[in-house]
Amino acid sequence: MLGGRQDFDELEASMNDPPEYDVIIVGAGFAGLYMLHRARGIGLSARLVEAGSGVGGTWYWNRYPGARCDVESMEYSYQFSDELQQEWQWSERYASQPEILNYLNHVADRFDLRPDIQFDTRVQRANFNEATDCWVVGTEDGNAMSARFLVMATGCLSSANTPDFPGSGSFEGPTFHTGRWPHDPVDFTGQRVGIIGTGSSGIQSIPVIAREAREVVVFQRTATYSVPAHNIPLAEEEQRAIKADYAGFRERNSQQPFALGSRLPGNEALALSTEPEERAKVYEDRWQHGGLPFLGAFGDLLFDGKANDTAAEFVRAKIRQIVKDPVVAERLAPTTVIGCKRLCVDSGYYATFNRDNVELVDVGESPIEEITPRGLRSGGREYDLDCIVFATGFDAMTGALLQIDIRGRDGLRLRDAWAEGPRTYLGLGVAGFPNMFTITGPGSPSVLTNMVVSIEQHVNWIADCLEYLGQNGYQRIEAMAEAQDGWVAHVNGIANFTLFPSCNSWYLGANVPGKPRVFMPLVGFPPYAEKCDEVVAKGYEGFITA
Ligand code: N01
């Protein structure tokens, strides 16, 4: 019953019929769109289910002022179609949210994906039916559908995190979350705006809102390291030069540890073995270049605390130069390990605090006590506000998956299987959950890379796997528990070799109260991609097929 209305329990009871689809894909962002395209390309019937009213995923929801990608646009795009990458023209070095959303709409149209996408439909539950090796998927509107395979393309940063402050809901003005921004532009003219959070979303939106609002009060819990984007219009000659050898450019990027930035690759020299003058020059050059490659200045920055501090001190000195009020500059100067939380890339963030209409409140020292009808109170002071912007991030990597009641073999709930932190094999499969794949799941490099590169690598792996299963007459594939245990130990072992576990980042789930503290992504893209290929070459080693 194509796209029809069915009841979940009735559908489960009638599972002797063949499933409606070969594959159900959840989420219409970069991952889901490409998965749909690949699934159709290998002759599978596929249904893509999306909660929003349009395609785009992250770029559909995060419409906040100043939203822009921190990976360069010539890299942050699909490579699966040479025609697509040749025909699309980016206008800026770093693409804005509207431009990326246009791009994804173009992709959906160009590959005629919309007929297989069901919008405005939120998946609520999914049960694996052991008798038939199929998934039954239930949606919030009370309908259900079935498929042999379930591919979760739900995104790593899609479940918005709004802290539960005392008095939440009592505020009489409008509130916004950067990750759930309204479609109509918000007019801040003449308003006194409170912004909570200074991660990537905060540092991008604060300068833009400050230019419009009467006053902005920024509530900062932890100071943030940010490197300038130096965003500029993208020169025609530069695009042409890259497009002349786009495949080579993509290949060089995928060989970088974070699968990006091959034009200014990581420097293998060690910060601590480099003379201070030379070291400062390297940092200055990278600061002038702008963006994430700053962290590639030296090979030991993410492994050695003392080396890291040389880079941290360089950025602190920049903040002290940029911010005129020394008290505010000190408040903005982070004391943590640089790169431990995601490095931010900004356009005029620190300089925004030189404006007369911007105030910085340190809620690390005096936490937000409560939200009140007229604003919020912190450190015993009440701040009167017309509206509040929550730039408070996401329940990252696991939030979107665990919001859905997913039940695998023997009724095992994913929430229970992951009660002490996510466990996957390769970030692609979960023991106990046959025929389910996660795109950029925990345990894969995902958020530590250019996401589009990781997504394409995962989708290609999954599509090849589905083709292999079909060709060999298999109905079922599942990660083996021992392979998964080994993989989890491997991911943790690598993380513990770095400085990543040393701060309260969302990589560790530390931003969500009560979430188990586990480092979720895998560090290092090239060896990971090799491992995935090796697993295939060894007949899907670590998976059971039947
Ligand atoms: O979220 P975040 P984000 N009281 O978690 C604060 C990607 N992204 O949406 O640091 C007070 O980084 C929290 O404080 P602390 C990118 O990967 C990319 O900004 O936990 N404050 C922090 O300051 C990024 O890393 C792009 O102490 C509270 C902020 O809220 C990821 O998305 C753009 C609080 C949350 O920062 C997430 O970024 C945007 C509380 N109870 C996002 N709870 C680009 O491509 C949280 N905070 C550029």
Side-chain angles (χ1 to χ4, degrees), residues 220-225 305 308-313 315-316 319-320 329-341 350 362 365 502-503:
Q220 169 193 277
R221 186 165 69 179
T222 310
T224 307
Y225 291 101
N308 186 280
D309 201 48
T310 63
E313 189 48 39
V315 178
R316 286 192 284 266
I319 297 169
R320 291 178 192 123
E330 274 332 292
R331 221 174 271 161
L332 285 168
T335 51
T336 46
V337 162
I338 183 169
C340 182
K341 287 186 180 181
Y350 295 122
D362 183 348
E365 239 167 47
S502 67
C503 65

PDB file of all heavy atoms in Angstrom, residues 220-225 305 308-313 315-316 319-320 329-341 350 362 365 502-503:
ATOM      1  N   GLN A 220      27.114  33.897  28.840  1.00  0.00           N
ATOM      2  CA  GLN A 220      28.172  32.950  28.481  1.00  0.00           C
ATOM      3  C   GLN A 220      28.514  32.065  29.681  1.00  0.00           C
ATOM      4  O   GLN A 220      28.841  32.574  30.753  1.00  0.00           O
ATOM      5  CB  GLN A 220      29.417  33.738  28.059  1.00  0.00           C
ATOM      6  CG  GLN A 220      30.677  32.885  27.926  1.00  0.00           C
ATOM      7  CD  GLN A 220      31.937  33.735  27.826  1.00  0.00           C
ATOM      8  OE1 GLN A 220      32.283  34.209  26.761  1.00  0.00           O
ATOM      9  NE2 GLN A 220      32.635  33.922  28.946  1.00  0.00           N
ATOM     10  N   ARG A 221      28.430  30.744  29.472  1.00  0.00           N
ATOM     11  CA  ARG A 221      28.817  29.842  30.575  1.00  0.00           C
ATOM     12  C   ARG A 221      30.293  29.470  30.457  1.00  0.00           C
ATOM     13  O   ARG A 221      31.004  29.441  31.440  1.00  0.00           O
ATOM     14  CB  ARG A 221      27.955  28.581  30.554  1.00  0.00           C
ATOM     15  CG  ARG A 221      28.218  27.680  31.750  1.00  0.00           C
ATOM     16  CD  ARG A 221      27.155  26.640  31.939  1.00  0.00           C
ATOM     17  NE  ARG A 221      27.173  25.633  30.884  1.00  0.00           N
ATOM     18  CZ  ARG A 221      26.343  24.595  30.850  1.00  0.00           C
ATOM     19  NH1 ARG A 221      25.431  24.445  31.796  1.00  0.00           N
ATOM     20  NH2 ARG A 221      26.402  23.722  29.873  1.00  0.00           N
ATOM     21  N   THR A 222      30.729  29.168  29.234  1.00  0.00           N
ATOM     22  CA  THR A 222      32.146  28.845  29.005  1.00  0.00           C
ATOM     23  C   THR A 222      32.627  29.690  27.827  1.00  0.00           C
ATOM     24  O   THR A 222      31.965  29.727  26.786  1.00  0.00           O
ATOM     25  CB  THR A 222      32.315  27.349  28.637  1.00  0.00           C
ATOM     26  OG1 THR A 222      31.605  26.555  29.591  1.00  0.00           O
ATOM     27  CG2 THR A 222      33.774  26.937  28.645  1.00  0.00           C
ATOM     28  N   ALA A 223      33.758  30.364  28.006  1.00  0.00           N
ATOM     29  CA  ALA A 223      34.281  31.181  26.910  1.00  0.00           C
ATOM     30  C   ALA A 223      34.688  30.280  25.746  1.00  0.00           C
ATOM     31  O   ALA A 223      35.064  29.128  25.943  1.00  0.00           O
ATOM     32  CB  ALA A 223      35.466  31.995  27.398  1.00  0.00           C
ATOM     33  N   THR A 224      34.609  30.839  24.534  1.00  0.00           N
ATOM     34  CA  THR A 224      34.747  30.048  23.309  1.00  0.00           C
ATOM     35  C   THR A 224      35.953  30.490  22.494  1.00  0.00           C
ATOM     36  O   THR A 224      36.172  31.682  22.308  1.00  0.00           O
ATOM     37  CB  THR A 224      33.496  30.285  22.432  1.00  0.00           C
ATOM     38  OG1 THR A 224      32.359  30.017  23.231  1.00  0.00           O
ATOM     39  CG2 THR A 224      33.493  29.412  21.214  1.00  0.00           C
ATOM     40  N   TYR A 225      36.688  29.522  21.979  1.00  0.00           N
ATOM     41  CA  TYR A 225      37.747  29.848  21.018  1.00  0.00           C
ATOM     42  C   TYR A 225      37.116  29.984  19.646  1.00  0.00           C
ATOM     43  O   TYR A 225      36.389  29.087  19.193  1.00  0.00           O
ATOM     44  CB  TYR A 225      38.762  28.714  20.932  1.00  0.00           C
ATOM     45  CG  TYR A 225      39.616  28.541  22.160  1.00  0.00           C
ATOM     46  CD1 TYR A 225      39.334  27.549  23.089  1.00  0.00           C
ATOM     47  CD2 TYR A 225      40.721  29.363  22.387  1.00  0.00           C
ATOM     48  CE1 TYR A 225      40.125  27.367  24.212  1.00  0.00           C
ATOM     49  CE2 TYR A 225      41.519  29.194  23.517  1.00  0.00           C
ATOM     50  CZ  TYR A 225      41.209  28.188  24.416  1.00  0.00           C
ATOM     51  OH  TYR A 225      41.993  28.013  25.516  1.00  0.00           O
ATOM     52  N   GLY A 305      49.057  18.725  26.091  1.00  0.00           N
ATOM     53  CA  GLY A 305      48.471  19.904  26.745  1.00  0.00           C
ATOM     54  C   GLY A 305      49.352  21.138  26.631  1.00  0.00           C
ATOM     55  O   GLY A 305      48.859  22.248  26.414  1.00  0.00           O
ATOM     56  N   ASN A 308      49.219  22.435  23.127  1.00  0.00           N
ATOM     57  CA  ASN A 308      47.903  23.031  22.929  1.00  0.00           C
ATOM     58  C   ASN A 308      47.860  24.433  23.520  1.00  0.00           C
ATOM     59  O   ASN A 308      47.284  25.357  22.933  1.00  0.00           O
ATOM     60  CB  ASN A 308      46.846  22.128  23.575  1.00  0.00           C
ATOM     61  CG  ASN A 308      45.441  22.598  23.279  1.00  0.00           C
ATOM     62  OD1 ASN A 308      44.949  23.522  23.905  1.00  0.00           O
ATOM     63  ND2 ASN A 308      44.803  21.964  22.305  1.00  0.00           N
ATOM     64  N   ASP A 309      48.513  24.597  24.667  1.00  0.00           N
ATOM     65  CA  ASP A 309      48.443  25.895  25.327  1.00  0.00           C
ATOM     66  C   ASP A 309      49.129  26.997  24.524  1.00  0.00           C
ATOM     67  O   ASP A 309      48.782  28.166  24.645  1.00  0.00           O
ATOM     68  CB  ASP A 309      49.020  25.810  26.742  1.00  0.00           C
ATOM     69  CG  ASP A 309      48.502  26.965  27.587  1.00  0.00           C
ATOM     70  OD1 ASP A 309      47.267  27.194  27.565  1.00  0.00           O
ATOM     71  OD2 ASP A 309      49.325  27.666  28.211  1.00  0.00           O
ATOM     72  N   THR A 310      50.093  26.633  23.673  1.00  0.00           N
ATOM     73  CA  THR A 310      50.734  27.672  22.852  1.00  0.00           C
ATOM     74  C   THR A 310      49.725  28.239  21.849  1.00  0.00           C
ATOM     75  O   THR A 310      49.702  29.441  21.594  1.00  0.00           O
ATOM     76  CB  THR A 310      51.981  27.140  22.100  1.00  0.00           C
ATOM     77  OG1 THR A 310      51.576  26.115  21.179  1.00  0.00           O
ATOM     78  CG2 THR A 310      53.027  26.600  23.050  1.00  0.00           C
ATOM     79  N   ALA A 311      48.872  27.353  21.313  1.00  0.00           N
ATOM     80  CA  ALA A 311      47.840  27.820  20.371  1.00  0.00           C
ATOM     81  C   ALA A 311      46.755  28.585  21.127  1.00  0.00           C
ATOM     82  O   ALA A 311      46.273  29.636  20.674  1.00  0.00           O
ATOM     83  CB  ALA A 311      47.232  26.635  19.624  1.00  0.00           C
ATOM     84  N   ALA A 312      46.390  28.051  22.299  1.00  0.00           N
ATOM     85  CA  ALA A 312      45.355  28.705  23.109  1.00  0.00           C
ATOM     86  C   ALA A 312      45.798  30.118  23.477  1.00  0.00           C
ATOM     87  O   ALA A 312      45.019  31.077  23.385  1.00  0.00           O
ATOM     88  CB  ALA A 312      45.086  27.877  24.362  1.00  0.00           C
ATOM     89  N   GLU A 313      47.067  30.246  23.863  1.00  0.00           N
ATOM     90  CA  GLU A 313      47.575  31.552  24.283  1.00  0.00           C
ATOM     91  C   GLU A 313      47.604  32.526  23.100  1.00  0.00           C
ATOM     92  O   GLU A 313      47.325  33.721  23.259  1.00  0.00           O
ATOM     93  CB  GLU A 313      48.975  31.402  24.914  1.00  0.00           C
ATOM     94  CG  GLU A 313      49.512  32.650  25.585  1.00  0.00           C
ATOM     95  CD  GLU A 313      48.529  33.354  26.526  1.00  0.00           C
ATOM     96  OE1 GLU A 313      47.773  32.669  27.256  1.00  0.00           O
ATOM     97  OE2 GLU A 313      48.491  34.607  26.516  1.00  0.00           O
ATOM     98  N   VAL A 315      45.457  32.613  20.668  1.00  0.00           N
ATOM     99  CA  VAL A 315      44.085  33.102  20.463  1.00  0.00           C
ATOM    100  C   VAL A 315      43.691  34.061  21.594  1.00  0.00           C
ATOM    101  O   VAL A 315      43.068  35.103  21.348  1.00  0.00           O
ATOM    102  CB  VAL A 315      43.085  31.928  20.343  1.00  0.00           C
ATOM    103  CG1 VAL A 315      41.654  32.449  20.188  1.00  0.00           C
ATOM    104  CG2 VAL A 315      43.444  31.041  19.160  1.00  0.00           C
ATOM    105  N   ARG A 316      44.094  33.733  22.821  1.00  0.00           N
ATOM    106  CA  ARG A 316      43.774  34.653  23.936  1.00  0.00           C
ATOM    107  C   ARG A 316      44.391  36.029  23.682  1.00  0.00           C
ATOM    108  O   ARG A 316      43.760  37.058  23.924  1.00  0.00           O
ATOM    109  CB  ARG A 316      44.278  34.075  25.263  1.00  0.00           C
ATOM    110  CG  ARG A 316      43.444  32.906  25.777  1.00  0.00           C
ATOM    111  CD  ARG A 316      43.785  32.563  27.218  1.00  0.00           C
ATOM    112  NE  ARG A 316      45.050  31.851  27.330  1.00  0.00           N
ATOM    113  CZ  ARG A 316      45.164  30.507  27.370  1.00  0.00           C
ATOM    114  NH1 ARG A 316      44.072  29.757  27.315  1.00  0.00           N
ATOM    115  NH2 ARG A 316      46.339  29.931  27.485  1.00  0.00           N
ATOM    116  N   ILE A 319      42.294  37.888  21.303  1.00  0.00           N
ATOM    117  CA  ILE A 319      41.068  38.407  21.934  1.00  0.00           C
ATOM    118  C   ILE A 319      41.401  39.698  22.695  1.00  0.00           C
ATOM    119  O   ILE A 319      40.684  40.696  22.589  1.00  0.00           O
ATOM    120  CB  ILE A 319      40.448  37.341  22.881  1.00  0.00           C
ATOM    121  CG1 ILE A 319      40.017  36.108  22.078  1.00  0.00           C
ATOM    122  CG2 ILE A 319      39.269  37.929  23.664  1.00  0.00           C
ATOM    123  CD1 ILE A 319      39.634  34.900  22.915  1.00  0.00           C
ATOM    124  N   ARG A 320      42.530  39.692  23.400  1.00  0.00           N
ATOM    125  CA  ARG A 320      42.913  40.889  24.175  1.00  0.00           C
ATOM    126  C   ARG A 320      43.209  42.065  23.252  1.00  0.00           C
ATOM    127  O   ARG A 320      42.983  43.207  23.613  1.00  0.00           O
ATOM    128  CB  ARG A 320      44.122  40.575  25.060  1.00  0.00           C
ATOM    129  CG  ARG A 320      43.772  39.619  26.182  1.00  0.00           C
ATOM    130  CD  ARG A 320      44.976  39.250  27.043  1.00  0.00           C
ATOM    131  NE  ARG A 320      44.629  38.138  27.910  1.00  0.00           N
ATOM    132  CZ  ARG A 320      45.264  36.970  27.950  1.00  0.00           C
ATOM    133  NH1 ARG A 320      46.321  36.748  27.181  1.00  0.00           N
ATOM    134  NH2 ARG A 320      44.858  36.017  28.761  1.00  0.00           N
ATOM    135  N   ALA A 329      37.483  41.428  27.848  1.00  0.00           N
ATOM    136  CA  ALA A 329      38.434  40.569  27.115  1.00  0.00           C
ATOM    137  C   ALA A 329      38.797  39.352  27.961  1.00  0.00           C
ATOM    138  O   ALA A 329      38.838  38.225  27.452  1.00  0.00           O
ATOM    139  CB  ALA A 329      39.676  41.365  26.746  1.00  0.00           C
ATOM    140  N   GLU A 330      39.061  39.558  29.245  1.00  0.00           N
ATOM    141  CA  GLU A 330      39.415  38.421  30.120  1.00  0.00           C
ATOM    142  C   GLU A 330      38.262  37.441  30.238  1.00  0.00           C
ATOM    143  O   GLU A 330      38.448  36.235  30.272  1.00  0.00           O
ATOM    144  CB  GLU A 330      39.842  38.900  31.513  1.00  0.00           C
ATOM    145  CG  GLU A 330      41.303  39.267  31.651  1.00  0.00           C
ATOM    146  CD  GLU A 330      42.259  38.538  30.715  1.00  0.00           C
ATOM    147  OE1 GLU A 330      42.444  37.314  30.863  1.00  0.00           O
ATOM    148  OE2 GLU A 330      42.829  39.168  29.802  1.00  0.00           O
ATOM    149  N   ARG A 331      37.065  37.995  30.310  1.00  0.00           N
ATOM    150  CA  ARG A 331      35.883  37.128  30.409  1.00  0.00           C
ATOM    151  C   ARG A 331      35.722  36.285  29.142  1.00  0.00           C
ATOM    152  O   ARG A 331      35.281  35.140  29.174  1.00  0.00           O
ATOM    153  CB  ARG A 331      34.650  38.019  30.591  1.00  0.00           C
ATOM    154  CG  ARG A 331      33.666  37.499  31.585  1.00  0.00           C
ATOM    155  CD  ARG A 331      32.561  38.503  31.808  1.00  0.00           C
ATOM    156  NE  ARG A 331      32.871  39.444  32.865  1.00  0.00           N
ATOM    157  CZ  ARG A 331      32.251  40.619  33.021  1.00  0.00           C
ATOM    158  NH1 ARG A 331      31.318  41.007  32.175  1.00  0.00           N
ATOM    159  NH2 ARG A 331      32.567  41.402  34.023  1.00  0.00           N
ATOM    160  N   LEU A 332      36.101  36.868  27.998  1.00  0.00           N
ATOM    161  CA  LEU A 332      35.955  36.167  26.712  1.00  0.00           C
ATOM    162  C   LEU A 332      37.110  35.199  26.436  1.00  0.00           C
ATOM    163  O   LEU A 332      37.014  34.364  25.537  1.00  0.00           O
ATOM    164  CB  LEU A 332      35.902  37.178  25.567  1.00  0.00           C
ATOM    165  CG  LEU A 332      34.606  37.959  25.392  1.00  0.00           C
ATOM    166  CD1 LEU A 332      34.803  39.117  24.416  1.00  0.00           C
ATOM    167  CD2 LEU A 332      33.483  37.053  24.894  1.00  0.00           C
ATOM    168  N   ALA A 333      38.203  35.355  27.192  1.00  0.00           N
ATOM    169  CA  ALA A 333      39.396  34.544  26.907  1.00  0.00           C
ATOM    170  C   ALA A 333      39.243  33.154  27.534  1.00  0.00           C
ATOM    171  O   ALA A 333      39.234  33.018  28.758  1.00  0.00           O
ATOM    172  CB  ALA A 333      40.638  35.244  27.447  1.00  0.00           C
ATOM    173  N   PRO A 334      39.153  32.107  26.711  1.00  0.00           N
ATOM    174  CA  PRO A 334      38.925  30.767  27.264  1.00  0.00           C
ATOM    175  C   PRO A 334      40.164  30.255  27.990  1.00  0.00           C
ATOM    176  O   PRO A 334      41.291  30.620  27.650  1.00  0.00           O
ATOM    177  CB  PRO A 334      38.662  29.911  26.021  1.00  0.00           C
ATOM    178  CG  PRO A 334      38.533  30.858  24.879  1.00  0.00           C
ATOM    179  CD  PRO A 334      39.243  32.102  25.245  1.00  0.00           C
ATOM    180  N   THR A 335      39.943  29.388  28.949  1.00  0.00           N
ATOM    181  CA  THR A 335      41.067  28.805  29.682  1.00  0.00           C
ATOM    182  C   THR A 335      41.161  27.308  29.424  1.00  0.00           C
ATOM    183  O   THR A 335      42.046  26.638  29.936  1.00  0.00           O
ATOM    184  CB  THR A 335      40.879  29.025  31.201  1.00  0.00           C
ATOM    185  OG1 THR A 335      39.575  28.571  31.540  1.00  0.00           O
ATOM    186  CG2 THR A 335      41.050  30.482  31.574  1.00  0.00           C
ATOM    187  N   THR A 336      40.231  26.786  28.619  1.00  0.00           N
ATOM    188  CA  THR A 336      40.193  25.345  28.368  1.00  0.00           C
ATOM    189  C   THR A 336      41.161  24.971  27.233  1.00  0.00           C
ATOM    190  O   THR A 336      41.853  25.835  26.690  1.00  0.00           O
ATOM    191  CB  THR A 336      38.762  24.937  27.959  1.00  0.00           C
ATOM    192  OG1 THR A 336      38.304  25.870  26.987  1.00  0.00           O
ATOM    193  CG2 THR A 336      37.826  24.945  29.142  1.00  0.00           C
ATOM    194  N   VAL A 337      41.162  23.706  26.883  1.00  0.00           N
ATOM    195  CA  VAL A 337      41.997  23.208  25.778  1.00  0.00           C
ATOM    196  C   VAL A 337      41.377  23.650  24.450  1.00  0.00           C
ATOM    197  O   VAL A 337      40.179  23.435  24.234  1.00  0.00           O
ATOM    198  CB  VAL A 337      42.060  21.656  25.877  1.00  0.00           C
ATOM    199  CG1 VAL A 337      42.519  21.039  24.579  1.00  0.00           C
ATOM    200  CG2 VAL A 337      42.957  21.237  27.031  1.00  0.00           C
ATOM    201  N   ILE A 338      42.159  24.258  23.581  1.00  0.00           N
ATOM    202  CA  ILE A 338      41.592  24.694  22.297  1.00  0.00           C
ATOM    203  C   ILE A 338      41.377  23.477  21.386  1.00  0.00           C
ATOM    204  O   ILE A 338      42.245  22.604  21.293  1.00  0.00           O
ATOM    205  CB  ILE A 338      42.473  25.770  21.609  1.00  0.00           C
ATOM    206  CG1 ILE A 338      41.791  26.250  20.320  1.00  0.00           C
ATOM    207  CG2 ILE A 338      43.890  25.279  21.333  1.00  0.00           C
ATOM    208  CD1 ILE A 338      42.427  27.495  19.711  1.00  0.00           C
ATOM    209  N   GLY A 339      40.197  23.420  20.785  1.00  0.00           N
ATOM    210  CA  GLY A 339      39.865  22.302  19.894  1.00  0.00           C
ATOM    211  C   GLY A 339      39.176  21.165  20.624  1.00  0.00           C
ATOM    212  O   GLY A 339      38.660  20.236  19.988  1.00  0.00           O
ATOM    213  N   CYS A 340      39.153  21.213  21.938  1.00  0.00           N
ATOM    214  CA  CYS A 340      38.524  20.148  22.729  1.00  0.00           C
ATOM    215  C   CYS A 340      37.013  20.209  22.506  1.00  0.00           C
ATOM    216  O   CYS A 340      36.357  19.197  22.273  1.00  0.00           O
ATOM    217  CB  CYS A 340      38.868  20.343  24.190  1.00  0.00           C
ATOM    218  SG  CYS A 340      38.189  19.079  25.225  1.00  0.00           S
ATOM    219  N   LYS A 341      36.474  21.432  22.582  1.00  0.00           N
ATOM    220  CA  LYS A 341      35.125  21.656  22.054  1.00  0.00           C
ATOM    221  C   LYS A 341      35.336  22.078  20.614  1.00  0.00           C
ATOM    222  O   LYS A 341      36.391  22.599  20.267  1.00  0.00           O
ATOM    223  CB  LYS A 341      34.437  22.792  22.807  1.00  0.00           C
ATOM    224  CG  LYS A 341      34.016  22.396  24.200  1.00  0.00           C
ATOM    225  CD  LYS A 341      33.221  23.492  24.842  1.00  0.00           C
ATOM    226  CE  LYS A 341      32.807  23.054  26.237  1.00  0.00           C
ATOM    227  NZ  LYS A 341      32.009  24.039  26.931  1.00  0.00           N
ATOM    228  N   TYR A 350      34.316  38.517  18.382  1.00  0.00           N
ATOM    229  CA  TYR A 350      34.914  39.196  19.547  1.00  0.00           C
ATOM    230  C   TYR A 350      34.719  40.711  19.461  1.00  0.00           C
ATOM    231  O   TYR A 350      34.426  41.372  20.456  1.00  0.00           O
ATOM    232  CB  TYR A 350      36.403  38.843  19.674  1.00  0.00           C
ATOM    233  CG  TYR A 350      36.657  37.368  19.963  1.00  0.00           C
ATOM    234  CD1 TYR A 350      37.437  36.588  19.112  1.00  0.00           C
ATOM    235  CD2 TYR A 350      36.105  36.764  21.094  1.00  0.00           C
ATOM    236  CE1 TYR A 350      37.660  35.240  19.375  1.00  0.00           C
ATOM    237  CE2 TYR A 350      36.326  35.415  21.365  1.00  0.00           C
ATOM    238  CZ  TYR A 350      37.103  34.660  20.501  1.00  0.00           C
ATOM    239  OH  TYR A 350      37.315  33.322  20.763  1.00  0.00           O
ATOM    240  N   ASP A 362      28.769  36.583  32.663  1.00  0.00           N
ATOM    241  CA  ASP A 362      29.416  35.294  32.888  1.00  0.00           C
ATOM    242  C   ASP A 362      28.516  34.421  33.752  1.00  0.00           C
ATOM    243  O   ASP A 362      28.480  34.567  34.975  1.00  0.00           O
ATOM    244  CB  ASP A 362      30.762  35.552  33.584  1.00  0.00           C
ATOM    245  CG  ASP A 362      31.545  34.280  33.793  1.00  0.00           C
ATOM    246  OD1 ASP A 362      30.968  33.186  33.614  1.00  0.00           O
ATOM    247  OD2 ASP A 362      32.733  34.374  34.143  1.00  0.00           O
ATOM    248  N   GLU A 365      30.225  31.784  36.285  1.00  0.00           N
ATOM    249  CA  GLU A 365      30.445  32.229  37.665  1.00  0.00           C
ATOM    250  C   GLU A 365      29.134  32.314  38.432  1.00  0.00           C
ATOM    251  O   GLU A 365      29.019  31.852  39.549  1.00  0.00           O
ATOM    252  CB  GLU A 365      31.093  33.618  37.638  1.00  0.00           C
ATOM    253  CG  GLU A 365      32.421  33.666  38.331  1.00  0.00           C
ATOM    254  CD  GLU A 365      33.153  34.952  38.021  1.00  0.00           C
ATOM    255  OE1 GLU A 365      32.527  36.033  38.112  1.00  0.00           O
ATOM    256  OE2 GLU A 365      34.339  34.862  37.668  1.00  0.00           O
ATOM    257  N   SER A 502      39.084  15.894  27.659  1.00  0.00           N
ATOM    258  CA  SER A 502      39.446  16.729  28.807  1.00  0.00           C
ATOM    259  C   SER A 502      38.516  17.910  29.088  1.00  0.00           C
ATOM    260  O   SER A 502      38.814  18.719  29.957  1.00  0.00           O
ATOM    261  CB  SER A 502      40.877  17.258  28.609  1.00  0.00           C
ATOM    262  OG  SER A 502      40.898  18.154  27.514  1.00  0.00           O
ATOM    263  N   CYS A 503      37.424  18.048  28.354  1.00  0.00           N
ATOM    264  CA  CYS A 503      36.534  19.184  28.644  1.00  0.00           C
ATOM    265  C   CYS A 503      35.075  18.733  28.541  1.00  0.00           C
ATOM    266  O   CYS A 503      34.813  17.616  28.106  1.00  0.00           O
ATOM    267  CB  CYS A 503      36.793  20.333  27.676  1.00  0.00           C
ATOM    268  SG  CYS A 503      36.366  19.881  25.986  1.00  0.00           S
TER     269      CYS A 503
END
